[in-house]
Amino acid sequence: MDHAGLDGGLGPGRGDRVDLSEEHVEKAELRRRSHADAGGPGAGTDGLRERGFARYGAEQLGVTPAGSAARDLARIREVFAELPPDPYAPGTNRFRRYSHAVYLPWKGELSWIPGTPDPVHGMVTDFSQGEDVPEYPRKRRVLPEIPEALRGNALLLRLLRWDIEQVLSLKNLGRRPLWAGVHLIKLGVDHPGQDAVSSPNCLHQDGGSSSTFTFAHLISRTNVSGGQNVIATPDSAGLQPDDPWADLHARFTLTDPLDGYAVHDHRVSHYVGPVRGGSAPGPGERSVIIVGIAPYVPQL
């Protein structure tokens, strides 16, 4: 994520030959400009209900990154500094850990699901990618889990519970367990000019039910350029943001600690651009916590 509808009928720009005459390109550009932007952090999560996406910042989270949360934020950053490479994206300079949690709304209880031993990665968590993500269709994978010591981090738990609260305020899910997938994702570079690429590297949806939501929280961003986020219509999934047929809602860049955004997955598509090493010597990185939330669906 940062994590569809690609299996259905082919829309303009994907399966059929399209008219890219000057007139059609101009109309597409006008359509792209017609949507309101995402607003800045503080625009509130009302947009999540009204438009399917919203931005927020530390103030909305009720957190002061340089205050009482500074120690917990520093600990999270230490774990990000040691993230292992994403085993499914070699050569992209992407680093990753992942764990599951379950929330019981009627009890207010949040529990992490234990991982399983793995000879290569230590403890791992099963990760079933949405079938509509183009790079990994219908594949089940395992990812190195979030260290047990970090799962009790007060700031991480605050972010996770805040995300859940937003979902519960939008959907009548108080009698169903909620499933949360928590990703730690870093795009890291070692020198100026080097790129790090997210996946999928196109506008996409994460897949899942109509009650699937995704939240992103910036942990740190140092000595990099790029990493712009783009929100677009569902029909734009599979396209690049600069494609004339991509129907964009907003472009923005997360810059400050705990800047973030949320998307209602089936109502929009989303994308984050590559990051590139900045002008200062030494490494650079963009570190983000991604939380996907959906109601638990029994398999019986």
Side-chain angles (χ1 to χ4, degrees), residues 247-264:
D247 192 0
L248 306 188
H249 289 310
R251 294 178 183 260
F252 55 89
T253 302
L254 306 180
T255 56
D256 297 327
L258 303 186
D259 276 357
Y261 68 92
V263 297
H264 189 180

Side-chain angles (χ1 to χ4, degrees), residues 57-65 68-69 155 158-159 162 258:
E59 182 178 354
Q60 287 67 47
L61 298 170
V63 175
T64 305
S68 59
L155 177 56
R158 171 58 186 151
L159 297 179
W162 188 88
L258 303 186

